[in-house]
Amino acid sequence: MKVGDRWFRAVWWEQNGVGYIDQRLLPHRFELSVASSTAEVAHAIKDMAIRGAPTIGVMAAYGLAMASLNGENFEATYGILNSTRPTAVNLKYGLDAVAPHYSDPDAALEAARAHDEAEVAAAEKIGEYGSALINSGATVSTHCNAGWLAAQDWGTALSPVYKAVEAGKKVAVIVDETRPRLQGSRLTAWELAQYGIEHRVAADGATASLLRRGEIDIVITGADRIAANGDAANKIGTYPLALAAQAAGVPFYVAAPTSTIDPNVALGDDIPIEERDDDEVLYVEGLTDAGELSRVRVAPQESRAVNPAFDVTPAALISGLITEVGIVAASVDGVRSALRK
Ligand code: MRU
């Protein structure tokens, strides 16, 4: 995706490590960084300098290839990288793409690169299939950031939007701000603004009313792990959005590459849900009027928080899964057919 006059992916291989756009600083600062050790790769994933399921998988794949080049112990490195974020199964998928080649550094790097290219190709295909669901004049609602920052290029939920706009359709997007880390207002709104796509940021609690008032035509979100029965884990707040969409009779689609499907997990309730630090809820971060990045506490000093980072949307609420092999039902048969293709 283009930023200014340069093309970027969310993460990339560099001579001395893994380059990435530091997403913690967006939208206020666009800064590039390099992780040049396994510890730095692990920290970038854990601290969410890079985030989004497919991008996490690609970063981990390059991290493992780097460890192979540095002659590190395979089990230890695999374990460190695999434990950085528990919900997005793409992490393991990326590591497993490189693991068989670990003893040959050139082959390991080639495998990481191939995994990167495959995720980008999948994201583009998702856009081609998904854009058929978006009519000209439609308003699309989305949650969190499932754009190119989250999927190396194109995105998952946003890829159909980008493809629909490329095809000349008029599309507007309602972006849930996505508390607590605000990936919607910080990242999705930034991406859409870069691309010149009409959008408005909504407080998370506002979207149900917009659905009920008929102001949204379709909801598309990403996913971090899809169970064998079609249940989908995604950013916290996705489940209430799906409930509200069903109540309003608005289609709710989940867009994800097949690397997000975990056939080893039978039901959504079996998906591990990451619990993150209380401070993400108790504080907000942003730019002061004086132009400085700052963090302020909102809740009383005495208060603790509860901070599950993801929730599970039951398959029954999902109109379909938009994958790189086509749109399939959110069901055991649908998931099986996507993995078979
Ligand atoms: O905690 P994050 O920001 O990594 O969560 C990201 C999401 O929940 C995305 O919707 C998901 O990874 C799909 S991204 C293409």
Side-chain angles (χ1 to χ4, degrees):
M1 194 60 77
K2 222 171 174 187
V3 181
D5 57 359
R6 267 184 73 185
W7 289 88
F8 284 93
R9 288 188 180 174
V11 311
W12 59 90
W13 177 254
E14 290 212 353
Q15 199 67 37
N16 55 344
V18 192
Y20 60 93
I21 297 167
D22 191 337
Q23 299 186 30
R24 293 168 301 192
L25 305 176
L26 288 172
H28 308 297
R29 289 192 199 143
F30 184 79
E31 282 183 18
L32 310 183
S33 197
V34 180
S36 42
S37 67
T38 304
E40 285 179 12
V41 170
H43 182 72
I45 299 173
K46 218 181 176 80
D47 204 45
M48 295 176 65
I50 67 98
R51 28 65 53 207
T55 295
I56 290 171
V58 173
M59 181 81 167
Y62 281 131
L64 197 60
M66 182 171 69
S68 163
L69 285 162
N70 294 341
E72 290 170 30
N73 175 275
F74 169 76
E75 276 80 21
T77 309
Y78 187 103
I80 289 168
L81 292 173
N82 195 33
S83 65
T84 47
R85 298 212 51 202
T87 302
V89 74
N90 309 59
L91 172 62
K92 186 169 178 328
Y93 197 95
L95 291 171
D96 288 347
V98 175
H101 310 282
Y102 195 77
S103 56
D104 176 349
D106 290 339
L109 182 55
E110 201 178 308
R113 283 204 164 107
H115 175 62
D116 186 355
E117 294 305 324
E119 288 294 46
V120 171
E124 182 163 14
K125 274 293 193 196
I126 286 170
E128 285 165 13
Y129 287 116
S131 61
L133 301 168
I134 301 175
N135 297 323
S136 191
T139 297
V140 180
S141 149
T142 192
H143 192 71
C144 194
N145 171 261
W148 69 268
L149 289 167
Q152 280 298 80
D153 206 355
W154 291 104
T156 55
L158 287 191
S159 186
V161 171
Y162 290 133
K163 283 288 181 188
V165 170
E166 268 191 5
K169 296 180 190 175
K170 185 174 156 21
V171 183
V173 184
I174 296 290
V175 180
D176 280 358
E177 60 176 352
T178 318
R179 285 280 296 148
R181 287 190 66 111
L182 301 166
Q183 290 94 328
S185 38
R186 293 194 305 104
L187 305 177
T188 299
W190 178 77
E191 275 194 27
L192 294 170
Q194 292 291 311
Y195 209 97
I197 294 177
E198 183 186 333
H199 64 280
R200 282 176 296 161
V201 178
D204 295 335
T207 310
S209 292
L210 300 178
L211 282 158
R212 193 172 154 76
R213 289 189 338 216
E215 294 178 27
I216 291 168
D217 301 292
I218 182 171
V219 182
I220 311 178
T221 73
D224 288 80
R225 194 184 299 219
I226 298 173
N229 71 341
D231 293 349
N234 192 49
K235 181 52 54 193
I236 193 78
T238 303
Y239 173 44
L241 184 59
L243 285 168
Q246 191 192 51
V250 173
F252 176 94
Y253 283 90
V254 169
T258 48
S259 59
T260 303
I261 297 174
D262 187 351
N264 300 317
V265 166
L267 307 171
D269 286 345
D270 301 331
I271 296 173
I273 299 295
E274 178 180 10
E275 297 282 336
R276 291 190 63 89
D277 199 89
D278 282 22
D279 283 5
E280 291 184 349
V281 175
L282 302 174
Y283 288 77
V284 287
E285 290 177 359
L287 197 70
T288 65
D289 286 346
E292 279 162 14
L293 288 176
S294 185
R295 182 180 109 121
V296 293
R297 189 172 175 107
V298 178
Q301 288 296 342
E302 303 75 27
S303 301
R304 297 280 324 273
V306 54
N307 189 14
F310 300 94
D311 59 23
V312 173
T313 298
L317 297 176
I318 301 172
S319 309
L321 305 172
I322 310 169
T323 75
E324 75 273 26
V325 293
I327 301 176
V328 300
S331 65
V332 171
D333 286 348
V335 165
R336 237 184 240 148
S337 75
L339 291 178
R340 257 201 315 264
K341 282 183 191 171

